[in-house]
Amino acid sequence: MRNPAPKDAAELEALEQREWRESLDYVIQQGDRGRVQRLLATLRHHARMSGVALPFSAVTAYVNTLRPDEEIPLPGSQEIERRIKSLIRWNAMAMVVRANRVSDGIGGHISTYASAATLYEVGFNHFFRGKGREGDGDIIYFQGHASPGIYARAFLEGRLTQEKLENFRRETKPGGGLSSYPHPWLMPDFWEFPTVSMGLGPIMSIYQARFNRYLEDRNLKKPSTTKVWAFLGDGETDEPETLGAITLASREKLDNLIWVINCNLQRLDGPVRGNGQIIQELEAIFRGAGWNVIKVLWGSDWDPLLAKDHEGLLAKRMGEIVDGQYQKYAVESGAYFREHFFGADPRLLEMVKHLSDDELKRLRLGGHDPSKVYNAFKHAVETKGQPTVVLARTIKGYGMGEAGEGKNITHQQKKMNEEDLRSFRTRFGIPISDEQIADAPFYRPSDDSPELQYIRERRKALGGSVPTRVVRVEPLKAGLDGVFEEFSKGTEGRKASTTMVFVRMLSKLLRDKEIGELVVPIVPDEARTFGMEALFRAVGIYSHVGQRYEPVDMDTLLYYKEAKDGQILEEGITEAGSLSSFIAAGTAYATHGVNTIPFFIYYSMFGFQRVGDLIWAAADSRTKGFLLGGTAGRTTLAGEGLQHQDGNSLVYSLCYPNCLSYDPAYAYELAAIIQDGIKRMYHDQESIFYYLTVMNEQYEHPEMPKGSREGILKGMYKLKPAPAGNAKLRAQLFGSGAILNEVVKAQDLLQKYGVAADVWSVTSYTELYREGHACERWNMLHPTEAQRVPYVTQCLKDAPGVFVAASDYCKVLPDSIDRWTPRKIRTLGTDGFGRSEDRASLRNHFEVDARFVALATLAELQREGQIDAKVVAQAIKDLGVNADKADPAKA
Ligand SMILES: Cc1ncc(C[n+]2csc(CCOP(=O)(O)OP(=O)(O)O)c2C)c(N)n1
Ligand SMILES: [Mg+2]
């Protein structure tokens, strides 16, 4: 009898298991994976329909995703590549150590690159394509803290001199230095993408990959095989921005995107998930989000052990250990590893009994094994229809031995004593003598050494050095008078908001023959708020797959039209994502050689305040384009209340050195600023971008006063001179944005008190402030030359009377120019929390309406002794001001 009756349930189950496995093996042997997948899917479905709940698991076992038989041998010379990598390791370490000797506390990171060296070197030798090939080459976001390694390679490639390396983190030294992290602002020929604010590199890379598709789908660029690589830390994945947009990448099937997460299991203070497993956690997240996940956990040394692991004991043990414990193994001896890891089961001990303690200690992890990394990258590059994440396991501070390998303090490690240096040198075979070692000298073999020849040959074959930032775009020539001319006429009696005016400008720009196709409107689900829905139909909303449904509003004129060549980036509710698109579009002049002009319009309060760090990265990236803070102004956006009403953004914008910000009141002001902005950014090629407020209060827009253009751009011009006459009491009133109209009204009110006031439109306090300081600085440094006079001073030098400014922003904004005005300015502004109310009530609450402008003027005249206190007291009554009202700054 071949199949005796089973004795008990356990035996029966064992038999069942075997039979089913054999059946499956049969199908597998037929060699058609699709068949296996379909069969298992059918079984799963069948079980579920029969009431068997199958546990969901998005994780696979704690072993490599790719099986050894799926791998191909690493091409090229492993030995030379290892030597090159060792030299780079050494120089990267020496750079940090030397910098800290010269200047204690200058900082720098050794341990991040030490753990990631293999990941980068496999990329540099086999994958990263430079710009010298067809297309653009690859787009690479290097992990910020790994920059010493990237510099060290550039040194070997002959791109950076030793002097530059000596001046790592000492950028103001003669001859220049190297910036701590990737900063295109500081090293515009080298770095392309700033990454060091954790989480920003990852999200920017996703939108960059999507923007590449956008350019191709809209025929602004030839289809290319460009890959976007992003290297990040495992600790970095805790930043909400890192993982917050990963579903966009899978939804859009961005197979041009590859992330490499350096899973050294540590962040700065300690383990990333001491009590868990960051790699398994990330696998589940990425798989759940639809990414292709490749785990590279174990090096080739482990393959024979895993091949013997028929019962899955080793894999099971690997999956049981938490990261904090793995970190302990990394710092302990081979004997400890044997006892505590393999010692859990005699069969595991048996498995490794042929290996000495030393050999056990040297079993390499996947992220340090070039062959494993190469195969993972190859698989990633070849993957279709999905983005890929490579989860590579490494050891932080790899190679640093006692000086910090795998230890919690390793991130802080900036110094190494002679002993540490000697063992590092010996471990990596760097030809530096014992006499020289204490110096930690840089080492570069001769140009004709096999290592440098190999490096040159590989980079040549891959299209040149990376990273390299080049601007390959022709300046735009379009003057655009045809687009902007109409706005100088004003609205001829009709009421409009500056937002409506802007939308009209944008529509005209989109239709312009010269630049229309380059305009990239970006919105985070607010297009209707800003009255932009007409653009949906006119230019379409970008979608790689077009529109696969019939929109509910199809029968209306302005239906929601998605199209493959759609021009609008409608990002949904993500300011961070929209800003990442803004950066991709605003840097395309360098990344792609295409002059795309982004206009990102959003709820102003959710800009600088919400995603200010991304705007900072945009500034560093030399992004061009226009940020438009919609529904701007603390009292101009009625109703929405505390969270929405923005009196902050213009103050923040002041700190972004290459961001020009304006608060325009009238159509012609906005037109002059945007027209000049396009010229400065895309014709003159200045590395600047703009923040403009646009409001939703509707009012009439006057005709452009003659000769006002220069003042509009510089920041102020006289809008309405005081009525003719010989009034003794005089004032200069400054207004901006929607509050300008209140100031114009105050001019009238003040006449009743015998005060003749000139009204100025201040389009940009920030520009006036910068120019004032620039003049002073120049004067200080050139004391014997003719002293420069700030523009504000020039405007006001003969202006009579007291000075009063009213703004919908915090008072510090008008206060900022006080130094250059002939007399002190009394400022009215909107310090304090907003609240839900109508405009009139809000302006009363914040004390910025016409009455308060008039009152402040009278108060200032009283202070100067020009009028009696009684006049002011009477005005308070006449104007209906409640003198006992709460102070809005504190309310
Ligand atoms: C937004 C932000 N917060 C904090 C830091 C400071 N910081 C620098 S490195 C680091 C730890 C990085 O850990 P991980 O991402 O795991 O990178 P590793 O060095 O381990 O590769 C931190 C918190 C930063 N650069 N950016
Ligand atoms: Mg880490």
Side-chain angles (χ1 to χ4, degrees), residues 109 111-113 115 143 145 181 196-199 232-237 239 262 264-269 272 396 411 613:
H109 302 264
S111 57
T112 300
Y113 180 75
S115 66
Q143 192 186 356
H145 304 85
Y181 302 121
V196 80
S197 176
M198 315 206 108
L232 47 146
D234 48 359
E236 187 173 5
T237 61
E239 291 285 1
N262 177 19
N264 52 27
L265 315 186
Q266 276 177 254
R267 49 182 160 73
L268 209 140
D269 288 341
V272 177
K396 192 140 174 170
H411 202 95
D613 201 16

Side-chain angles (χ1 to χ4, degrees), residues 354-415:
H354 62 292
L355 297 174
S356 69
D357 287 350
D358 260 4
E359 284 168 327
L360 273 189
K361 175 81 188 155
R362 280 205 304 271
L363 288 174
R364 251 188 318 185
L365 292 177
H368 297 300
D369 183 332
S371 166
K372 295 287 180 199
V373 173
Y374 173 83
N375 278 285
F377 286 5
K378 179 170 178 294
H379 185 87
V381 166
E382 289 166 0
T383 294
K384 293 266 178 283
Q386 273 180 305
T388 293
V389 59
V390 175
L391 302 173
R393 225 189 110 186
T394 62
I395 291 174
K396 192 140 174 170
Y398 187 71
M400 288 167 67
E402 279 304 301
E405 179 169 297
K407 298 194 177 143
N408 283 339
I409 50 88
T410 183
H411 202 95
Q412 309 298 351
Q413 195 68 32
K414 329 253 171 245
K415 297 183 180 170

Side-chain angles (χ1 to χ4, degrees), residues 700-736:
E700 289 172 27
H701 294 248
E703 202 180 325
M704 183 170 187
K706 281 215 167 48
S708 61
R709 184 176 300 272
E710 190 195 346
I712 292 171
L713 300 175
K714 285 189 160 172
M716 72 186 287
Y717 66 98
K718 195 185 277 183
L719 175 73
K720 280 190 126 189
N726 46 10
K728 275 222 269 334
L729 301 174
R730 296 298 309 265
Q732 305 298 317
L733 307 181
F734 310 105
S736 319

Side-chain angles (χ1 to χ4, degrees), residues 10 28 73 76 175 195 292 371 377 395 451 636 685 688 801-802 864 866:
I28 291 171
T195 46
N292 174 39
S371 166
F377 286 5
I395 291 174
E451 290 88 349
T636 305
Q685 301 198 302
I688 52 175
V802 295
E864 299 242 320
Q866 297 188 40

